[in-house]
Amino acid sequence: MTSTPADRPGSSTLAVHAGETRPKPYGAIATPIVQTSTYSFEDTAALVAHMQRKEQGLPLLRGEYGRYGSPNAALVEDKLAALEGGEAACVFSTGMAATVLSLLAFLQVGDHYIMTDDCYRRTRQFGLELMPRYGISCTLAPINDEQALLDAIRPNTRLILTETPTNPYLRIVDLPRLAELAHSHGLLTMVDATFGTPCNIRPLALGMDLVIHSATKYLGGHNDLLGGVVIGAKELVQKVRDFNHIVGATSDPHTLFLLQRGLKTLSLRMTRHNENGQRVAEFLESHPAVRRVWYPGLASHPDHEVARRTMSGYGGVVSFELEADLDGAACFIDALRIPYIGPSLGGVESIVEQPALMSHFTLSEQERAEIGIRGEMVRYALGIEDTADLLADLAQALDRVPLADHAVDQRGAP
């Protein structure tokens, strides 16, 4: 499991204080929202001094124009860089913007990149359907299959993009090994660690070059904002930042204020998410109405040993298949009283979904089967509610599931 170096403050201390200045304007404890699109200069000399610092790549003392950043963005970026152990961070309007613009910043016509095959479906869609329009090709490689990864490398391969834990199977990539293989071939490495958060896994310390998060999820933590971030070495992040200065996928100051506020309780929230995830996964695995559970904290998970080596907690998302069909799974979800039915994850409120009817609704049953999305699969993104209440709610809902015959024999007639 990952550990905290003796000279590095703990996650809660960093989440509260990293990036914060003292004293703040007006003596405030909370950083004020600087709600402006443009910034003025006292005189021409001040403008020239600002532009010279910008040209030399020096830290800027103040803003210039909202698309290039803001005091609220600078604070959040410094805080996230500290949490991940990176030199710099760049925030975006969404997690997909962070992923797409990070790829485009390092790829050009004629280049090729590799993506592990259980990445977020929109990330796969971008690589396989949209990137070819711009002369960039993408190959999928199975997770933790070294030979498949080596076979996918071409002379024009530039980088490897992966995700850990993945959605919805919560597969865990052996990041140290992936980084070693990639770097031995001169390839850049990127990882989407949204499901992990800096509290549970720190990919930069495991050898990865860039870490991407959808800040919409655990980082914001309250289901009330959209955002993304890329974190890593200063020169790599600056290349992405410069690209975004042109594209303009910028996050506004009010959203950044909400993200900053959410980050202050990240470590506390993740402790409860991790606890709820582990307890619920163990409960589900022992229940006769459940066929299979995917959760990295379970010994039955295919990547459990990798998770133990690379993670300090396993998060609040649990995926499982019921001993039922699509309609039976829908009956179960409708019987739950605590979670909301919806997409996304990582907030204080629990959210549950049937991937076949939510994220993969437009696919045919055969297409879903080809990627392993069965009608009876449920993804439960646990919030921070009391564990006992979540377990009791699951128990009463599972009792209402119309089971397959062999499962009824195990449990007894409903």
Side-chain angles (χ1 to χ4, degrees), residues 2-20:
T2 56
S3 60
T4 300
D7 60 347
R8 180 178 183 268
S11 293
S12 280
T13 302
L14 288 171
V16 173
H17 294 292
E20 307 274 337

Side-chain angles (χ1 to χ4, degrees), residues 261-281:
R261 185 171 65 174
L263 284 170
K264 287 178 181 286
T265 60
L266 174 64
S267 183
L268 292 171
R269 288 185 285 105
M270 288 311 301
T271 297
R272 177 56 69 86
H273 284 300
N274 291 340
E275 177 187 352
N276 283 344
Q278 187 69 38
R279 292 279 301 281
V280 164

Side-chain angles (χ1 to χ4, degrees), residues 275-411:
E275 177 187 352
N276 283 344
Q278 187 69 38
R279 292 279 301 281
V280 164
E282 292 171 355
F283 168 79
L284 290 170
E285 191 168 53
S286 68
H287 200 286
V290 178
R291 181 183 307 134
R292 183 174 181 183
V293 180
W294 285 273
Y295 187 73
L298 296 177
S300 59
H301 192 277
D303 306 313
H304 178 64
E305 290 305 316
V306 177
R308 288 184 61 191
R309 285 192 284 108
T310 59
M311 303 183 74
S312 57
Y314 307 115
V317 176
V318 181
S319 295
F320 53 99
E321 285 182 2
L322 296 171
E323 290 282 9
D325 56 14
L326 184 145
D327 291 336
C331 177
F332 160 76
I333 286 177
D334 289 344
L336 289 167
R337 297 165 181 164
I338 291 178
Y340 291 89
I341 300 173
S344 200
L345 61 123
V348 295
E349 300 92 355
S350 290
I351 297 178
V352 68
E353 71 165 33
Q354 250 175 297
L357 298 182
M358 181 72 69
S359 54
H360 296 76
F361 181 77
T362 59
L363 301 183
S364 67
E365 185 175 351
Q366 180 178 345
E367 289 172 325
R368 291 198 298 266
E370 289 174 355
I371 57 176
I373 302 297
R374 301 167 65 97
E376 61 269 30
M377 172 180 274
V378 175
R379 192 192 75 176
Y380 198 162
L382 298 150
I384 63 170
E385 298 93 347
D386 288 295
T387 309
D389 294 331
L390 292 168
L391 294 176
D393 188 35
L394 280 165
Q396 64 83 24
L398 286 168
D399 283 342
R400 304 187 184 194
V401 176
L403 300 184
D405 291 341
H406 69 280
V408 172
D409 292 339
Q410 295 176 44
R411 187 176 76 181

